Amino acid sequence: MGPRFDLFANELGAKIGKRFAGVSLAIEQSSLSKSTVELVNLRASQINGCGFCVDFHTKELAVAGESAVRVNLVAAWRESTVFTDAERAVLALAEEGTRLADAHTGVSDETWARVREHYDDDQVAALVYLVAMINAANRLGVIVRNPGGSYEPGMFAKLSS
């Protein structure tokens, strides 16, 4: 199974992809931990069914030193004891920000308040953009049917330079 279309092989697709990666680089340069960023990315990718992104963020969590137990329990974080209150807040934000069509209220006031308890203004800005960007990336991957399994950690580093 291969992708329907290689966005990076197309000149315009590659040009847009480089700018897309620039936003991700700005998020990576925030004070959010690598694990926090990747937990959010993984949870949104699981919800959206993007195989390539689930592969990508699972592997990046491993590189960041996350245990297999924590990575495997992201899909069931509410029923797990391995996440901090701050991580639970961002996982809820990721879910509610991803499931906009499923919930007329979007991100609940309760979730927003929990996020604000744990993260400063710059981190909140990064989290809001992070949720938006991973959802956009998931849609790109699903539309062109990028399959999971081929991601190698760091393979997109040159895009954001």
Side-chain angles (χ1 to χ4, degrees), residues 16-154:
I16 295 168
K18 187 168 177 84
R19 282 156 181 81
F20 195 86
V23 175
S24 295
L25 178 62
I27 293 166
E28 288 174 20
Q29 292 171 343
S30 77
S31 63
L32 293 173
S33 72
K34 173 80 169 165
S35 290
T36 297
V37 169
E38 295 304 336
L39 288 170
V40 168
N41 285 335
L42 178 56
R43 186 63 192 124
S45 299
Q46 290 170 334
I47 293 166
N48 288 323
C50 182
F52 183 83
C53 292
V54 169
D55 180 38
F56 182 133
H57 301 295
T58 299
K59 289 174 180 173
E60 288 295 333
L61 279 161
V63 167
E66 284 296 338
S67 70
V69 169
R70 280 175 45 92
V71 172
N72 290 330
L73 287 174
V74 168
W77 66 270
R78 280 180 171 57
E79 294 80 29
S80 305
T81 60
V82 298
F83 299 103
T84 67
D85 287 343
E87 290 167 336
R88 289 175 172 287
V90 295
L91 289 166
L93 179 70
E95 284 189 3
E96 292 175 21
T98 296
R99 292 185 164 140
L100 295 177
D102 299 338
H104 69 339
T105 59
V107 174
S108 69
D109 290 340
E110 178 185 345
T111 294
W112 188 257
R114 287 195 333 255
V115 167
R116 294 301 290 164
E117 283 176 30
H118 299 284
Y119 298 96
D120 65 28
D121 287 351
D122 287 347
Q123 291 169 321
V124 169
L127 285 166
V128 170
Y129 277 101
L130 176 62
V131 171
M133 293 302 291
I134 190 56
N135 275 280
N138 292 160
R139 279 145 180 79
L140 291 168
V142 170
I143 290 167
V144 300
R145 288 194 180 154
N146 279 337
S150 64
Y151 178 75
E152 295 294 329

